[in-house]
Coordinates of all heavy atoms in Angstrom, one line a residue:
S1 N 0.8 -1.2 0.0 CA 0.0 0.0 0.0 C 0.8 1.3 0.0 O 0.3 2.4 -0.3 CB -0.9 0.0 1.2 OG -0.2 0.2 2.4
I2 N 2.1 1.2 0.3 CA 3.0 2.4 0.5 C 3.7 2.7 -0.8 O 4.3 3.8 -0.9 CB 4.0 2.2 1.6 CG1 5.2 1.3 1.1 CG2 3.4 1.6 2.9 CD1 6.5 1.7 1.7
T3 N 3.5 1.9 -1.9 CA 4.3 2.1 -3.1 C 3.5 1.5 -4.3 O 2.7 0.5 -4.1 CB 5.7 1.5 -3.1 OG1 6.3 1.6 -4.3 CG2 5.6 0.0 -2.7
T4 N 3.7 2.1 -5.5 CA 3.1 1.5 -6.7 C 4.0 0.4 -7.3 O 3.7 -0.2 -8.3 CB 2.9 2.6 -7.7 OG1 4.1 3.3 -8.0 CG2 1.9 3.6 -7.3
D5 N 5.1 0.1 -6.6 CA 6.0 -0.9 -7.1 C 5.3 -2.3 -7.1 O 4.9 -2.8 -6.1 CB 7.2 -1.0 -6.1 CG 8.3 -1.9 -6.5 OD1 8.1 -2.8 -7.3 OD2 9.4 -1.8 -6.0
T6 N 5.1 -2.8 -8.3 CA 4.4 -4.0 -8.5 C 5.1 -5.3 -8.0 O 4.5 -6.4 -7.9 CB 4.0 -4.2 -9.9 OG1 5.2 -4.3 -10.7 CG2 3.0 -3.1 -10.4
N7 N 6.3 -5.2 -7.6 CA 7.1 -6.3 -7.1 C 7.0 -6.5 -5.6 O 7.5 -7.5 -5.1 CB 8.6 -6.1 -7.5 CG 8.8 -6.2 -9.0 OD1 8.7 -7.2 -9.6 ND2 9.1 -5.0 -9.5
V8 N 6.3 -5.6 -4.9 CA 6.2 -5.7 -3.5 C 5.0 -6.7 -3.2 O 3.9 -6.6 -3.7 CB 5.9 -4.4 -2.8 CG1 5.6 -4.5 -1.4 CG2 7.0 -3.4 -3.1
F9 N 5.3 -7.7 -2.3 CA 4.4 -8.7 -2.0 C 3.2 -8.2 -1.2 O 3.3 -7.2 -0.5 CB 5.1 -9.8 -1.1 CG 6.3 -10.4 -1.8 CD1 7.4 -10.7 -1.0 CD2 6.3 -10.7 -3.1 CE1 8.5 -11.2 -1.5 CE2 7.5 -11.3 -3.7 CZ 8.6 -11.5 -2.9
I10 N 2.0 -8.9 -1.4 CA 0.8 -8.6 -0.7 C 0.7 -9.5 0.5 O 0.7 -10.8 0.3 CB -0.4 -8.7 -1.6 CG1 -0.3 -7.7 -2.8 CG2 -1.7 -8.4 -0.8 CD1 -1.4 -7.8 -3.8
S11 N 0.5 -9.0 1.7 CA 0.4 -9.8 2.9 C -0.9 -10.6 2.9 O -1.9 -10.1 2.4 CB 0.5 -8.9 4.1 OG 0.2 -9.7 5.3
E12 N -0.9 -11.8 3.4 CA -2.1 -12.6 3.6 C -2.6 -12.5 5.0 O -3.6 -13.2 5.3 CB -1.7 -14.1 3.3 CG -1.3 -14.3 1.8 CD -1.0 -15.8 1.6 OE1 -1.1 -16.6 2.5 OE2 -0.6 -16.1 0.4
A13 N -2.1 -11.6 5.8 CA -2.6 -11.4 7.2 C -3.9 -10.7 7.2 O -4.3 -10.0 6.3 CB -1.5 -10.7 8.0
W14 N -4.6 -10.9 8.4 CA -5.8 -10.2 8.6 C -5.6 -8.7 8.5 O -4.6 -8.1 8.9 CB -6.3 -10.5 10.0 CG -7.7 -9.9 10.4 CD1 -8.9 -10.5 10.3 CD2 -7.9 -8.7 11.0 NE1 -9.9 -9.7 10.8 CE2 -9.3 -8.5 11.2 CE3 -7.1 -7.6 11.4 CZ2 -9.9 -7.4 11.8 CZ3 -7.6 -6.5 11.9 CH2 -9.0 -6.4 12.1
A15 N -6.6 -8.0 8.0 CA -6.6 -6.5 7.8 C -7.9 -5.9 8.2 O -9.0 -6.5 8.0 CB -6.2 -6.2 6.4
M16 N -7.8 -4.7 8.7 CA -9.0 -3.9 8.9 C -9.7 -3.6 7.6 O -9.1 -3.3 6.6 CB -8.7 -2.6 9.6 CG -8.3 -2.7 11.0 SD -8.0 -1.0 11.8 CE -6.6 -0.5 10.8
N17 N -11.0 -3.8 7.5 CA -11.8 -3.4 6.3 C -11.7 -1.9 6.2 O -11.7 -1.1 7.1 CB -13.2 -3.9 6.4 CG -13.4 -5.4 6.3 OD1 -12.5 -6.0 5.7 ND2 -14.4 -5.9 6.8
S18 N -11.6 -1.5 4.9 CA -11.6 0.0 4.6 C -12.3 0.2 3.3 O -11.8 -0.3 2.2 CB -10.1 0.5 4.6 OG -10.1 1.8 4.1
E19 N -13.3 0.9 3.3 CA -14.0 1.3 2.0 C -13.1 2.1 1.2 O -13.1 2.0 0.0 CB -15.3 2.0 2.3 CG -16.2 2.3 1.1 CD -17.5 2.9 1.4 OE1 -17.9 2.8 2.6 OE2 -18.2 3.4 0.5
A20 N -12.4 3.1 1.8 CA -11.5 4.0 1.1 C -10.4 3.3 0.3 O -10.0 3.7 -0.8 CB -11.0 5.0 2.0
L21 N -9.9 2.1 0.9 CA -8.9 1.4 0.3 C -9.4 0.1 -0.3 O -8.6 -0.8 -0.7 CB -7.8 1.1 1.4 CG -6.7 2.2 1.6 CD1 -7.3 3.3 2.4 CD2 -5.5 1.6 2.3
S22 N -10.7 0.0 -0.5 CA -11.3 -1.2 -1.1 C -10.9 -2.5 -0.5 O -10.6 -3.5 -1.2 CB -11.0 -1.2 -2.6 OG -11.4 0.0 -3.3
I23 N -10.8 -2.5 0.8 CA -10.5 -3.7 1.6 C -11.7 -4.3 2.2 O -12.4 -3.6 3.0 CB -9.4 -3.4 2.7 CG1 -8.1 -2.9 2.0 CG2 -9.1 -4.7 3.5 CD1 -7.1 -2.4 3.0
S24 N -12.1 -5.5 1.9 CA -13.3 -6.1 2.5 C -12.9 -7.5 2.9 O -11.9 -8.1 2.5 CB -14.4 -6.1 1.5 OG -14.1 -6.8 0.3
E25 N -13.8 -8.1 3.7 CA -13.5 -9.5 4.2 C -12.2 -9.6 4.9 O -11.6 -10.7 4.9 CB -13.7 -10.5 3.1 CG -15.2 -10.5 2.5 CD -15.4 -11.5 1.4 OE1 -14.4 -12.2 1.1 OE2 -16.5 -11.6 0.9
H26 N -11.6 -8.5 5.3 CA -10.4 -8.5 6.1 C -9.2 -9.1 5.3 O -8.3 -9.6 5.9 CB -10.5 -9.2 7.4 CG -11.6 -8.6 8.3 ND1 -11.5 -7.4 8.8 CD2 -12.8 -9.1 8.7 CE1 -12.6 -7.1 9.5 NE2 -13.4 -8.2 9.4
R27 N -9.2 -8.9 4.0 CA -8.2 -9.4 3.1 C -7.6 -8.3 2.3 O -8.3 -7.4 1.7 CB -8.7 -10.5 2.2 CG -9.4 -11.7 2.8 CD -8.5 -12.4 3.8 NE -7.3 -13.0 3.2 CZ -6.4 -13.7 3.9 NH1 -6.5 -13.8 5.2 NH2 -5.4 -14.3 3.3
L28 N -6.2 -8.2 2.2 CA -5.5 -7.3 1.4 C -5.5 -7.8 -0.1 O -5.3 -9.0 -0.3 CB -4.1 -7.0 1.9 CG -4.0 -6.4 3.3 CD1 -2.6 -6.5 3.8 CD2 -4.6 -5.0 3.3
T29 N -5.6 -6.9 -1.0 CA -5.6 -7.3 -2.4 C -4.8 -6.3 -3.3 O -4.4 -5.2 -2.8 CB -7.0 -7.4 -3.0 OG1 -7.6 -6.0 -3.0 CG2 -7.9 -8.3 -2.2
E30 N -4.7 -6.5 -4.5 CA -4.0 -5.7 -5.5 C -4.6 -4.3 -5.6 O -3.9 -3.3 -5.8 CB -3.9 -6.3 -6.8 CG -3.2 -5.6 -7.9 CD -1.7 -5.5 -7.7 OE1 -1.1 -6.4 -7.1 OE2 -1.1 -4.4 -8.0
V31 N -5.9 -4.2 -5.3 CA -6.6 -3.0 -5.5 C -6.0 -1.8 -4.6 O -6.0 -0.7 -5.0 CB -8.1 -3.1 -5.2 CG1 -8.9 -1.8 -5.3 CG2 -8.7 -4.2 -6.1
S32 N -5.5 -2.2 -3.5 CA -5.0 -1.1 -2.6 C -3.5 -0.8 -2.8 O -2.9 -0.1 -2.0 CB -5.3 -1.6 -1.1 OG -4.8 -2.8 -0.8
R33 N -2.9 -1.4 -3.8 CA -1.5 -1.1 -4.0 C -1.3 0.4 -4.2 O -1.9 1.0 -5.1 CB -0.9 -1.9 -5.2 CG 0.6 -1.7 -5.4 CD 1.1 -2.5 -6.6 NE 0.9 -3.9 -6.4 CZ 1.7 -4.7 -5.7 NH1 2.8 -4.2 -5.1 NH2 1.4 -6.0 -5.6
G34 N -0.4 1.0 -3.5 CA 0.0 2.4 -3.7 C -1.0 3.4 -3.1 O -0.7 4.6 -3.2
L35 N -2.1 3.0 -2.5 CA -3.1 3.9 -2.0 C -2.6 4.7 -0.8 O -3.3 5.7 -0.4 CB -4.4 3.2 -1.8 CG -5.1 2.7 -3.0 CD1 -6.5 2.1 -2.7 CD2 -5.3 3.7 -4.1
R36 N -1.6 4.3 -0.1 CA -1.0 5.0 1.0 C 0.4 5.6 0.7 O 1.1 5.9 1.6 CB -1.0 4.2 2.3 CG -2.4 4.1 3.0 CD -2.7 5.4 3.6 NE -4.1 5.5 4.2 CZ -4.3 5.2 5.4 NH1 -3.4 4.8 6.2 NH2 -5.5 5.3 5.9
A37 N 0.7 5.6 -0.6 CA 2.1 6.1 -1.0 C 2.3 7.6 -0.6 O 3.4 8.0 -0.3 CB 2.2 6.0 -2.5
H38 N 1.2 8.3 -0.4 CA 1.4 9.7 -0.1 C 1.9 9.9 1.3 O 2.4 11.0 1.7 CB 0.0 10.5 -0.2 CG -1.0 10.0 0.9 ND1 -1.7 8.9 0.7 CD2 -1.4 10.6 2.0 CE1 -2.5 8.7 1.8 NE2 -2.4 9.7 2.6
R39 N 1.8 8.9 2.2 CA 2.4 8.9 3.5 C 3.8 8.6 3.6 O 4.4 8.7 4.7 CB 1.6 8.0 4.5 CG 0.2 8.5 4.8 CD -0.4 7.7 5.9 NE -1.6 8.3 6.5 CZ -2.4 7.8 7.4 NH1 -2.0 6.7 8.0 NH2 -3.4 8.5 7.9
W40 N 4.4 8.1 2.5 CA 5.8 7.6 2.6 C 6.6 8.3 1.5 O 6.5 7.9 0.3 CB 5.8 6.1 2.4 CG 5.0 5.4 3.5 CD1 3.7 5.1 3.5 CD2 5.5 4.9 4.7 NE1 3.3 4.5 4.6 CE2 4.4 4.4 5.4 CE3 6.8 4.9 5.3 CZ2 4.6 3.8 6.7 CZ3 7.0 4.4 6.6 CH2 5.9 3.8 7.2
A41 N 7.4 9.3 1.8 CA 8.2 10.0 0.8 C 9.5 9.2 0.5 O 10.6 9.6 0.7 CB 8.6 11.4 1.4
I42 N 9.2 8.1 -0.2 CA 10.3 7.1 -0.4 C 11.5 7.8 -1.2 O 12.6 7.7 -0.8 CB 9.8 5.9 -1.1 CG1 8.7 5.2 -0.3 CG2 11.0 4.9 -1.4 CD1 8.1 4.0 -1.0
E43 N 11.2 8.4 -2.3 CA 12.2 9.0 -3.1 C 13.0 10.1 -2.4 O 14.2 10.3 -2.6 CB 11.7 9.4 -4.5 CG 11.1 8.2 -5.3 CD 11.1 8.5 -6.8 OE1 11.8 9.5 -7.2 OE2 10.4 7.8 -7.5
K44 N 12.2 10.9 -1.7 CA 12.9 12.0 -0.9 C 13.9 11.4 0.1 O 15.0 11.9 0.3 CB 11.8 12.8 -0.1 CG 12.4 14.0 0.7 CD 11.4 14.6 1.6 CE 10.3 15.2 0.9 NZ 10.7 16.5 0.2

């Protein structure tokens, strides 16, 4: 979720549901990739 880098693995652990991040049934999916990148100034 912190980067659009498609090589970063998706965790299979339980997650909080989030409508904003399209997380349902407590599962992380590809849909939320990069949606929290604004919180992590990786290149800076």
Side-chain angles (χ1 to χ4, degrees):
S1 71
I2 77 149
T3 175
T4 56
D5 186 342
T6 57
N7 294 288
V8 175
F9 304 140
I10 299 175
S11 174
E12 297 181 358
W14 182 96
M16 290 184 291
N17 289 335
S18 169
E19 185 175 346
L21 276 74
S22 301
I23 299 171
S24 60
E25 299 180 357
H26 302 293
R27 305 300 297 178
L28 298 170
T29 67
E30 181 67 33
V31 178
S32 53
R33 185 178 298 278
L35 292 185
R36 280 292 176 89
H38 68 281
R39 285 190 170 180
W40 300 87
I42 300 175
E43 294 203 20
K44 181 191 296 288

